[in-house]
Amino acid sequence: MAKTLGFFMALIAMASMAVGRDSTGWENAFATFYGDISGGETMEGACGYGDLFKQGYGLDTAALSTTLFNNGHTCGACYELKCTNNPEWCINGKTTTITATNFCPPNWSKPSDMGGWCNPPRKHFDMAMAAFLKIVKGTKVGIVPVQYRRVKCVKKGGIKFEIKGNPYWNLVLVYNVGGVGDVKGVWVKKMGDVKSGWIQMTRNWGQNWETGEGLRRWRLSFRVTVSDGRTLNALGVVPANWNFGQSFESKVQF
Ligand SMILES: *[C@@H]1O[C@H](CO)[C@@H](O)[C@H](O)[C@H]1NC(C)=O
C-alpha cells in the first residue's frame, strides 16, 4: 500500500467529487501500488491463484477494494485503466489492462480519504508496481486518480483447472479464463459413471470451487459459467490417473 502524500490530498479530494461514469463508459477510481518491481507480494492473493507467472497473469494484476472485489466474485475479471487528470505524473495516453487477482482490505483505522483508500464505498485498484508504472511516471506519487472499464480478458490457450484437496474433499482452482473472466458457476462430471450428472460445486474462496464428491480415479469434465451467462464444457479434461496438485488445460476458452 502506498504512502500518504499530504501534498496531493486537496487535489484528490476534488477529484473524488467527480465520481461517476462518463459518456465513454469509463468510471472514476483511484490507484496505488503494492509490493516491489519483482511482484513477489502480489502472488498467492485472495482470489486463490498461486504463482501468477506460471498461471499466465504475470504482473498485470491488481488488488480490488471491497466495493469492486464483491467477496471474490470479481476475481479473474479484466479492467483497462488509465491515469487521469495530471500530465505531471500520468503517462499521457497510456492505458493498461489488469486481471483482478487479490483483495485490498479496508483499514478502518484510517479515514477513507487519508490512507483508507480501499474502504467502502471507494473504488480502488492497488496495482502490482510493474502495472502501475505502465500508466504512471515513477512511484513518487503514491496515489493517482484513474479511469477504468471492464474489458474482455485475452488469455493464451484454454481454461485451466488445478485440483487440490484430499480423497474426501476437492478444491478446484479455475484459472486462465478469457472473455469476461469472472467465473460464477462450476460443475464437475465423472466420465463413464452412468450415475454421475453434472455435480454443482460451491465457491470456497476466490476462484477455488469445492465438492465433497469422491472424484479419484475418474476421468473428469468441468462445466464453467461466467458472469455474462456464457457456459462452456471442458469434456474429459482430466484423465482418470490424475493426482491432487496437478493442473490440466482444456481445449475450450471464452
Ligand atoms: C492500518 O493503518 C494503521 C495506521 O497507519 C497501521 O498501523 C495498520 O498496520 C494498518 N492495518 C492494515 C491491516 O494495513
Side-chain angles (χ1 to χ4, degrees), residues 1 105-110:
M1 191 64 191
N107 187 335
W108 301 113
S109 72
K110 291 180 180 174

Side-chain angles (χ1 to χ4, degrees), residues 157-178:
I159 299 169
K160 295 180 186 177
F161 304 87
E162 181 185 356
I163 313 182
K164 298 170 284 189
N166 58 54
Y168 312 101
W169 183 70
N170 311 278
L171 190 64
V172 177
L173 172 68
V174 185
Y175 65 103
N176 199 50
V177 180

Side-chain angles (χ1 to χ4, degrees), residues 68-228:
L68 293 171
F69 188 69
N70 189 22
N71 281 318
H73 290 248
T74 317
C75 287
C78 297
Y79 295 89
E80 185 179 14
L81 296 172
K82 63 179 174 188
C83 175
T84 45
N85 295 349
N86 198 299
E88 196 185 319
W89 62 69
C90 291
I91 300 177
N92 195 24
K94 269 296 291 277
T95 72
T96 196
T97 296
I98 56 90
T99 304
T101 57
N102 204 354
F103 175 50
C104 180
N107 187 335
W108 301 113
S109 72
K110 291 180 180 174
S112 66
D113 59 352
M114 193 65 83
W117 312 126
C118 291
N119 296 356
R122 295 183 65 95
K123 292 178 174 174
H124 192 95
F125 296 85
D126 201 14
M127 303 170 74
M129 187 199 268
F132 185 81
L133 290 174
K134 289 184 178 178
I135 55 172
V136 180
K137 298 175 192 165
T139 56
K140 237 159 120 189
V141 56
I143 176 164
V144 293
V146 292
Q147 288 190 301
Y148 73 95
R149 60 183 175 193
R150 280 286 292 270
V151 290
K152 186 180 191 302
C153 299
V154 178
K155 304 297 181 196
K156 256 167 80 184
I159 299 169
K160 295 180 186 177
F161 304 87
E162 181 185 356
I163 313 182
K164 298 170 284 189
N166 58 54
Y168 312 101
W169 183 70
N170 311 278
L171 190 64
V172 177
L173 172 68
V174 185
Y175 65 103
N176 199 50
V177 180
V180 285
D182 47 344
V183 174
K184 71 166 190 186
V186 180
W187 291 257
V188 63
K189 188 176 182 173
K190 296 187 264 189
M191 303 297 279
D193 180 353
V194 291
K195 296 191 301 277
S196 175
W198 287 104
I199 300 155
Q200 186 154 20
M201 304 185 76
T202 54
R203 190 191 299 272
N204 182 288
W205 63 292
Q207 286 302 356
N208 282 287
W209 297 76
E210 67 173 30
T211 177
E213 185 78 18
L215 301 177
R216 291 305 308 283
R217 289 182 285 280
W218 290 102
R219 183 166 167 246
L220 304 174
S221 296
F222 287 104
R223 168 175 285 177
V224 175
T225 298
V226 284
S227 67
D228 64 358

